[in-house]
Amino acid sequence: SLPKLPPAIECYLSGLPDKELEVETSLADIVDIENLSTREYKQQAAIWELIETEVNYIKQLRSIITIYMSVFHVINGPYLNSVNTYDLFSNIDEVCEANGKFWSYYISQPLTEAKKSHSPLDAKLFKQGFLNIKNLLKPYVRFCQEVDHCRRFIQKLEKDSTNFSVFLQWASSIHSSNSRLALVDQLAQP
């Protein structure tokens, strides 16, 4: 079992239960696509791609936080000479919180309505989310400005610290979605 997250990080994850991030495997599981025109189908497919991308990205952010950050908080100090966590992860917890809010406030409701009615996803219901995206996703500005520093810092630490290198290998092996990409590559995905 993974160590308990520090309270400051736990609060970013508690507002969005894992169950809310469960989506069907395809658009056809929600919407009756047989009766859609080509134009309507393309629109629905684009909306569905947005939904899938967002939910997968939130899951990846949460995975970085729960697997890498939580364990790092436990081993930092005794094994890693008190490395500044911010140098490794920047404000990824705030990015996760922002995406969680985007999902909860603007994507979840239209998706739930479409599931209940099996009618097409209503693009108008997503509009307010995109009008508010500039304010909602402000943490990305800082994250994008700092991610290259984080990536270089991780690479240097991995090269200079056997303990950190072992930690990264272990953390990557814990979760199947992490095993394909190194932490430095996962950080670059936002």
Side-chain angles (χ1 to χ4, degrees), residues 131-164:
L131 292 175
N132 290 331
I133 207 159
K134 182 179 178 183
N135 291 325
L136 191 61
L137 299 183
K138 278 184 181 178
Y140 274 93
V141 174
R142 185 166 31 145
F143 184 81
C144 290
Q145 290 170 340
E146 296 173 352
V147 72
D148 284 339
H149 164 78
C150 294
R151 294 179 76 217
R152 285 190 303 275
F153 188 79
I154 290 169
Q155 290 168 334
K156 181 181 179 343
L157 198 55
E158 186 175 17
K159 194 169 106 180
D160 296 346
S161 170
T162 303
N163 286 343
F164 186 73

Side-chain angles (χ1 to χ4, degrees), residues 3-129:
K4 186 161 175 52
L5 288 167
I9 294 172
E10 183 68 39
C11 73
Y12 290 111
L13 302 178
S14 62
L16 187 62
D18 287 338
K19 187 175 180 170
E20 270 194 52
L21 295 173
E22 294 174 7
V23 297
E24 285 68 15
T25 55
S26 78
L27 176 63
D29 294 334
I30 298 172
V31 176
D32 180 14
I33 59 173
E34 302 282 323
N35 297 322
L36 298 176
S37 68
T38 302
R39 182 180 178 276
E40 290 170 326
Y41 177 77
K42 286 180 180 180
Q43 180 187 42
Q44 292 298 299
I47 294 170
W48 182 249
E49 184 178 349
L50 167 78
I51 290 169
E52 283 186 311
T53 300
E54 188 64 20
V55 77
N56 289 333
Y57 183 59
I58 292 170
K59 287 178 179 180
Q60 181 177 352
L61 288 170
R62 292 175 73 147
S63 178
I64 291 170
I65 292 169
T66 57
I67 293 173
Y68 288 96
M69 278 183 94
S70 66
V71 176
F72 185 79
H73 276 281
V74 172
I75 66 170
N76 192 21
Y79 303 104
L80 294 172
N81 300 323
S82 299
V83 173
N84 183 345
T85 306
Y86 196 86
D87 285 331
L88 295 174
F89 303 104
S90 182
N91 65 328
I92 200 164
D93 47 356
E94 294 172 12
V95 169
C96 184
E97 180 184 30
N99 280 82
K101 285 179 180 177
F102 182 63
W103 177 267
S104 294
Y105 298 166
Y106 303 111
I107 295 179
S108 182
Q109 184 223 355
L111 179 60
T112 301
E113 287 184 23
K115 285 179 187 182
K116 287 178 186 173
S117 67
H118 294 285
S119 60
L121 294 153
D122 186 349
K124 289 180 249 150
L125 295 177
F126 294 92
K127 181 180 178 181
Q128 194 60 41

